[in-house]
Amino acid sequence: MARPPPLQELPPVYTPPARAASPQILAGSLKAPLWLRAYFQGLLFSLGCGIQRHCGKVLFLGLLAFGALALGLRVAIIETDLEQLWVEVGSRVSQELHYTKEKLGEEAAYTSQMLIQTPHQEGENILTPEALGLHLQAALAASKVQVSLYGKSWDLNKICYKSGIPLIENGMIERMIEKLFPCVILTPLDCFWEGAKLQGGSAYLPGRPDIQWTNLDPEQLLKELGPFASLEGFRELLDKAQVGQAYVGRPCLHPDDLHCPPTAPNHHSKQAPNVAQELNGGCHGFSHKFMHWQEELLLGGMARDAQGQLLRAEALQSTFLLMSPRQLYEHFRGDYQTHDIGWSEEQAGTVLRAWQRRFVQLAQEALPQNSSQQIHAFSSTTLDDILHAFSEVSAARVVGGYLLMLAYACVTMLRWDCAQSQGAVGLAGVLLVALAVASGLGLCALLGIAFNAATTQVLPFLALGIGVDDIFLLAHAFTEAPPGTPLQLPSFPFALP
């Protein structure tokens, strides 16, 4: 088999295929496109010839530059903030978010932790005292979460979002309200006395047992304290908020509970409440006027009768609201509990994230394995953790993918005839693609461009596929090149104006 002559022996005379296009150029219909094509072909051909003449220098300098840029990966930043990832800069959503923060302030924000309960058997009605009892069990486990950080213990009552503690002229009542003021928890349990069990805090008055929401009757308390103090302002406040008897005036899920208050509607009858009827129209917090939780916030998969009355549901949901890091920082700034730890907003965020992770863990472990119900816990930190996990670069997957492509390129381009074999070309090409990807990402990191899940999980493999495809095209073009291909670019046989 005849071998092609080396480049130094190629004939200098070469007739380009563009001669056939000269009538079209002379006609003027495709003059500019063909001229540009010929011009750039000449530039690229000259560049290739120059690189070929100085291949050692180009290879050394290229590897040096690519390697230096690849070191930029050490300062890469992975972006996991949903707002930064999905909200377009300058878009309508971005403007509305900016307007909300500007008008309401950062302190108006809060974080949500959710407990969603569903039956194991799909379609089963969940509006039963037994199912609500299991929901209470999971919610109680979650509400009792405590984490120890910076030498302090942090529980729900310290970090939860509260609607605002009113100012009372009577100092004793004001201190009692400050200790008892409840967290904002949107839960179907608020339709029943058991909702009070989720609220922490207690207050002490001389001659009385500890006051908690499970035994607090505001109306009765006002009657007892009326002769000893002027409480007209406090009474007016309770009337405006329509607090009434708070939780002790609501039915008990389990009326045989020893702590079920005598003021509960079903305390004496010992009859379990109709859960669907109690939840119809939603539930109220301790204030009937300002805390109304709609059905859509508490239930899922609802079914109604012809009159629109709630009959059944397939899911229960409780939402715990926590302060934002900024709020928590401001709340404890200057407090005696944090004066010795250098309290900062970053530390406040660390406390919240630690509490949320523990919240999810304990809530999911609250129900026994053989329970007919299942609990799904979710917090804002959960989503951040998921994004972090998917954004982390898996070295094993990336290296494994590139090694497989390396083997594929080498094997498919290998030939028994050593003169025609291009296995080393495939090897060098895959390594060059890997270095190009690393240097490109390193340059982006040096420019301050943040990475995301697509950058770390998709881009390396996408660039590998596109780069290796070009290697096969170049290798095929080289093998198919005719023996008369010149080293220098010929001049065109026609003149261009």
Side-chain angles (χ1 to χ4, degrees), residues 113 139-140 142-147 153-162 183-185 198-200 320-323 355 359:
Q113 334 304 312
L140 272 177
S143 66
K144 302 302 181 185
V145 169
Q146 290 188 357
V147 294
S153 180
W154 305 89
D155 58 15
L156 177 63
N157 200 46
K158 287 184 178 180
I159 66 175
C160 71
Y161 178 83
K162 299 182 179 181
C183 301
V184 178
I185 303 175
L198 301 182
Q199 300 294 347
F320 295 74
L321 301 187
L322 305 183
M323 287 187 280
W355 193 93
F359 168 90

Side-chain angles (χ1 to χ4, degrees), residues 187-445:
T187 174
L189 297 168
D190 272 349
C191 283
F192 308 94
W193 166 76
E194 281 77 4
K197 295 184 177 182
L198 301 182
Q199 300 294 347
S202 62
Y204 172 76
L205 289 177
R208 292 179 56 93
D210 286 352
I211 300 175
Q212 300 177 346
W213 282 102
T214 53
N215 60 14
L216 174 61
D217 185 345
E219 294 180 351
Q220 183 65 27
L221 183 64
L222 285 176
K223 291 180 182 179
E224 295 179 4
L225 297 179
F228 307 100
S230 176
L231 302 174
E232 292 303 321
F234 184 45
R235 187 188 306 274
E236 182 180 355
L237 180 65
L238 293 179
D239 291 339
K240 286 183 178 179
Q242 299 178 8
V243 174
Q245 292 183 298
Y247 288 96
V248 297
R250 303 176 189 184
C252 297
L253 275 172
H254 302 285
D256 53 350
D257 189 334
L258 295 178
H259 297 95
C260 180
T263 50
N266 60 342
H267 173 77
H268 299 290
S269 66
K270 304 298 181 181
Q271 184 177 358
N274 185 329
V275 175
Q277 182 178 343
E278 296 293 336
L279 286 171
N280 188 61
C283 298
H284 297 271
F286 74 95
S287 168
H288 280 255
K289 184 175 182 180
F290 299 113
M291 294 183 173
H292 177 224
W293 323 134
Q294 293 87 353
E295 295 174 349
E296 292 77 11
L297 297 175
L298 309 176
L299 306 174
M302 294 178 286
R304 303 178 184 275
D305 60 14
Q307 287 74 35
Q309 298 297 310
L310 182 65
L311 289 178
R312 54 187 292 111
E314 298 180 15
L316 300 173
Q317 175 176 283
S318 291
T319 305
F320 295 74
L321 301 187
L322 305 183
M323 287 187 280
S324 66
R326 181 68 180 178
Q327 278 183 309
L328 187 61
Y329 165 70
E330 293 290 346
H331 183 74
F332 284 100
R333 186 175 62 172
D335 191 271
Y336 74 95
Q337 300 181 64
T338 57
H339 75 280
D340 59 335
I341 61 175
W343 185 240
S344 65
E345 188 172 344
E346 183 180 355
Q347 290 177 322
T350 302
V351 169
L352 289 172
R353 288 189 293 271
W355 193 93
Q356 290 170 347
R357 293 188 180 100
R358 186 63 176 163
F359 168 90
V360 172
Q361 179 185 355
L362 290 186
Q364 293 178 337
E365 297 174 354
L367 299 186
Q369 294 292 334
N370 58 352
S371 174
S372 62
Q373 308 289 318
Q374 54 187 346
I375 287 290
H376 310 277
F378 176 83
S379 70
S380 54
T381 301
T382 304
L383 182 58
D384 292 338
D385 291 342
I386 292 174
L387 287 175
H388 272 291
F390 278 95
S391 299
E392 290 292 335
V393 179
S394 176
R397 283 198 295 266
V398 174
V399 172
Y402 275 75
L403 287 178
L404 288 175
M405 184 59 73
L406 194 68
Y408 174 78
C410 291
V411 171
T412 54
M413 300 177 71
L414 196 63
R415 299 291 184 272
W416 291 110
D417 185 358
C418 296
Q420 300 295 325
S421 180
Q422 295 178 324
V425 175
L427 174 65
V430 174
L431 294 177
L432 180 61
V433 170
L435 184 59
V437 172
S439 61
L441 293 178
L443 176 60
C444 293

Side-chain angles (χ1 to χ4, degrees), residues 67-79 392-393 438-452 455-456:
L69 291 176
L71 294 178
L73 291 174
R74 300 177 59 184
V75 297
I77 300 174
I78 299 179
E79 181 63 73
E392 290 292 335
V393 179
S439 61
L441 293 178
L443 176 60
C444 293
L446 292 174
L447 294 176
I449 300 175
F451 295 176
N452 54 41
T455 308
T456 58

